[in-house]
Amino acid sequence: GAGSWSVMKFWPRHRPPGSRWLFWKRPESPMRPLTESQIRRMAKRSYMNERQRAFFHQRLLTLRRDTLATMEELQASLRATVREPDEADQAAQEEEQRLVLRALDRDTRLLDKIDAALRRLATGDYGYCLETGEPIGVERLLARPTAEYAIDAKTRRENLEKHFRDD
């Protein structure tokens, strides 16, 4: 497979006395994108290598593109709204608009998180917990590519937030 160790004789057919075996590592092909299952099977020491960073970069760009498309559709539905003369219809329409505005707000926050993740990817900080510096983990990043914290740190933060909310 790509990146596996190979042995090559220094002289292909006849090795003169004292010649050496040459060990070399086949380069990992950045051209072929990894799949989720390949990422899951990679050794922990390969965490956030070039191919994994390329995989998550593409995943974040796709998520960003999809989020922008959704926001465009939501904004178009708001612009296309025609005021209803009937009070009951108008109330239903206002409720629908409120839901669309909430969805737009959620997508705007998601877009900010995607952009922050792309910046961390560019600086080499992507995939590492902002609080502890420990790896976040491939499984968590596959589930939530914008994750900023390892699961233990995130749980602690949520418990603190809950504690302060309850007071």
Side-chain angles (χ1 to χ4, degrees):
S4 61
W5 287 95
S6 299
V7 178
M8 181 177 75
K9 291 181 184 178
F10 189 72
W11 302 106
R13 287 193 169 255
H14 304 329
R15 194 166 59 94
S19 66
R20 295 199 160 128
W21 291 89
L22 198 59
F23 291 92
W24 56 284
K25 187 165 180 152
R26 279 188 242 153
E28 294 181 349
S29 168
M31 303 311 231
R32 220 176 39 223
L34 293 171
T35 64
E36 277 191 28
S37 64
Q38 287 173 317
I39 287 204
R40 284 185 171 100
R41 289 192 312 259
M42 289 181 106
K44 288 191 188 285
R45 69 180 183 280
S46 298
Y47 187 71
M48 284 302 123
N49 64 19
E50 184 179 347
R51 292 184 73 200
Q52 284 186 355
R53 287 191 309 270
F55 173 88
F56 284 109
H57 184 256
Q58 192 57 49
R59 170 130 329 164
L60 287 164
L61 290 178
T62 300
L63 182 59
R64 187 176 201 286
R65 185 189 66 232
D66 294 348
T67 303
L68 284 171
T70 301
M71 290 174 74
E72 281 292 320
E73 290 173 13
L74 291 170
Q75 289 168 344
S77 75
L78 279 177
R79 285 190 297 271
T81 303
V82 179
R83 300 287 291 176
E84 294 289 336
D86 182 30
E87 282 187 34
D89 289 340
Q90 191 173 354
Q93 187 178 49
E94 286 172 3
E95 179 64 19
E96 171 116 2
Q97 285 179 336
R98 190 178 67 74
L99 292 174
V100 168
L101 288 171
R102 273 182 57 192
L104 272 170
D105 183 53
R106 184 190 65 236
D107 285 349
T108 301
R109 287 194 309 270
L110 176 59
L111 203 56
D112 291 342
K113 286 183 177 196
I114 293 167
D115 289 341
L118 287 167
R119 283 191 300 276
R120 287 193 310 278
L121 199 55
T123 61
D125 296 328
Y126 182 79
Y128 296 92
C129 180
L130 294 180
E131 185 177 301
T132 66
E134 294 294 316
I136 291 173
V138 168
E139 287 296 327
R140 179 157 165 72
L141 290 171
L142 288 171
R144 185 178 292 270
T146 59
E148 298 175 313
Y149 299 98
I151 196 70
D152 293 342
K154 183 66 174 172
T155 302
R156 273 194 308 276
R157 293 176 71 80
E158 287 173 353
N159 287 339
L160 276 174
E161 289 172 9
K162 184 178 183 248
H163 175 74
F164 287 114
R165 270 196 312 257
D166 291 343
D167 287 347

